[in-house]
Amino acid sequence: MENLKKNIKDMLESGEIAGFLGLIEEEGHPIPFLFTKDSLDKLDALTVPDIRYPMTDILLKIVRKYPEDTIGVMVRGCDDRALIELAKNQKILSDLIRPIGVACTKEMAEYCRCSQPYPREIHYGEKVEGVKDRSDLEKVESMDLSDRLDYWMGQFSKCIKCYGCRNICSMCFCDQCTLEDDTLILTGQAPPEIPIFHLIRAFHMAGRCIDCGLCEEACPAHIPLRSLYRKVREDMADYLGYVTGMDETERDPLEFLGSDGYEVPTKIDET
Amino acid sequence: MAETEKGFEPKIIAFCCNWCSYAGADLAGSMRLKYPANVLPIRVMCSGRISPHFILKAFQRGADGVLVTGCHYGDCHYIKGNYITKRRVTIMKDLLKFVGIDPRRLRADWIAASEGDKFAKVATEFTEEIRALGPSPLRG
Ligand code: SF4
Ligand code: SF4
Ligand code: SF4
Ligand code: FES
């Protein structure tokens, strides 16, 4: 921890970064904090707790405000995957971001059912193996079609349209949100039109979602949103060989055709 | 859902691209080929313009089936719109299935401007398939 603090302090003092987005403990609560040269004393309160914050979502707000500055940020595996996607989508310039990587504990990896609980580069913590768990998908897949629809409509009908799922998501960076487009979805009513409200978001997450699970955690109605996005994430891998959050130079095959052949998936199981 | 209700007339939305399949639908008309009145063609400039949202909205508003049509590969007037269409439809079908909507309710097909007969055939086939599936469970 002391090394970490010193590292951040050095980067701020030397001007390598203009700010560092991390967490501090304030009155017993970890909260996000943007360290600058002028708040080095605050580094004493720097903390790396076993809880999560949508760091890259906050980072995006900072970057929009200070587009010229180099910013450091504490990232876990999921945040790091988000950085990759944000760079791909030209929301950040990787050259202007200094990620400080934190590896998650075994407990966290299990809690998050996380396939990759570590960032590209680890500055803090010990790397543990990911968790392979698709039991949430299997639960749905074990039902027949009409039970599935009943299940999902029951879940969706609990929605209070708080937009929490969208607001917490680092991958929801659009300037205009489809969920508020009344030519597609009736606006001004809660619960929203279902299933379209949730399916539009689910389809949008194909080729974007980095499977951090924050949306599901944020949903006050406890809708198992993440399994929808995990499903399309899996489909993108199965049909199009594309996994988000891996490589900045890859392109979303739903948006870019690519130049080396554009094989069309044929493996469509309609049973 | 298996039994077809008596008197059930499927509502089918067919998104057709201006250059091929819409022209194909037009040709079907001028050739006086019969295709079911259940199929409502909506013209778009390219199958690539068919946002996945349009498909979802059609189902939300009670369509029993959605047909997405475009030019054959290599013929798209915007070069490659139809490849993207195919990818989107593939993922969409699986998502629909995951939430309990029969993926056969969504179909993509390629129809050239000269293929009035193919348009009529696809429209008829699809209507019958949807008729057999019965009304969409999302129909209010
Ligand atoms: S999703 Fe993975 S990387 Fe992110 S906090 Fe959980 S365990 Fe860590
Ligand atoms: S898991 Fe949820 S919050 Fe995280 S990237 Fe995917 S959709 Fe966004
Ligand atoms: S967080 Fe849950 S309740 Fe809020 S809009 Fe999203 S799905 Fe609906
Ligand atoms: S113009 Fe027909 S599919 Fe693109």
Side-chain angles (χ1 to χ4, degrees), chain A residues 148 183 235 253 262 264, chain B residues 57 60 80 86-87 94 97:
Chain A
R148 281 186 205 183
T183 59
D235 279 347
Y262 1 91
V264 175
Chain B
K57 175 145 181 177
Q60 182 71 37
K80 289 160 188 165
K86 180 68 179 178
R87 289 179 182 179
D94 225 45
K97 184 175 163 190

Side-chain angles (χ1 to χ4, degrees), chain A residues 140 145 148-149 152 178 183 194-196 203-204 231 235 239 253 256-257 262 264-265 269-271, chain B residues 52-53 56-57 60-61 73 80 83-84 86-88 90-94 97-100 102 104 137:
Chain A
V140 174
L145 285 183
R148 281 186 205 183
L149 190 64
W152 282 114
T178 312
T183 59
I194 57 169
I196 190 170
F203 194 88
H204 260 191
K231 182 64 193 172
D235 279 347
Y239 292 121
F256 295 88
L257 218 36
Y262 1 91
V264 175
D269 172 15
E270 296 193 2
T271 49
Chain B
H53 304 147
L56 291 170
K57 175 145 181 177
Q60 182 71 37
R61 291 299 164 87
Y73 292 133
K80 289 160 188 165
Y83 289 98
I84 293 278
K86 180 68 179 178
R87 289 179 182 179
R88 288 174 174 165
T90 302
I91 305 293
M92 181 63 86
K93 280 170 91 84
D94 225 45
K97 184 175 163 190
F98 188 67
V99 297
D102 198 310
R104 287 172 296 182

Side-chain angles (χ1 to χ4, degrees), chain A residues 4 6 24 34 55 67 78-79 106 113 120 132 150 153 162 172 184 187 228-229 254 269 271:
Chain A
L4 189 65
K6 178 158 187 320
I24 54 166
L34 182 63
M55 298 305 273
C78 49
D79 304 313
K106 187 90 206 135
R113 287 175 290 130
R120 283 167 288 184
K132 298 250 173 313
D150 288 349
M153 291 302 260
C162 63
C172 278
L184 286 166
T187 51
L228 291 171
Y229 316 140
L254 289 181
D269 172 15
T271 49

Side-chain angles (χ1 to χ4, degrees), chain B residues 4-22:
Chain B
T4 307
E5 284 174 25
K6 271 242 155 25
F8 164 57
E9 283 302 335
K11 278 194 278 180
I12 293 169
I13 300 295
F15 293 104
C16 304
C17 98
N18 181 50
W19 303 103
C20 292
S21 52
Y22 193 83

Side-chain angles (χ1 to χ4, degrees), chain B residues 8-14 25 28-29 32-41 67 116-131:
Chain B
F8 164 57
E9 283 302 335
K11 278 194 278 180
I12 293 169
I13 300 295
R32 295 167 155 261
L33 292 171
K34 278 219 158 68
Y35 68 86
N38 308 63
V39 177
L40 177 72
L67 189 58
D117 50 341
K118 181 166 180 193
F119 185 87
K121 181 170 160 281
V122 168
T124 309
E125 238 177 57
F126 190 56
T127 306
E128 287 323 306
E129 189 171 10
I130 298 299
R131 196 188 299 281

Side-chain angles (χ1 to χ4, degrees), chain B residues 47-104:
Chain B
S47 71
R49 174 65 183 96
I50 304 163
S51 154
H53 304 147
F54 297 176
I55 298 171
L56 291 170
K57 175 145 181 177
F59 283 120
Q60 182 71 37
R61 291 299 164 87
D64 300 298
V66 176
L67 189 58
V68 167
T69 62
C71 312
H72 288 276
Y73 292 133
D75 289 349
C76 170
H77 285 236
Y78 307 94
I79 320 296
K80 289 160 188 165
N82 44 7
Y83 289 98
I84 293 278
T85 304
K86 180 68 179 178
R87 289 179 182 179
R88 288 174 174 165
V89 167
T90 302
I91 305 293
M92 181 63 86
K93 280 170 91 84
D94 225 45
L95 175 61
L96 291 175
K97 184 175 163 190
F98 188 67
V99 297
I101 299 168
D102 198 310
R104 287 172 296 182

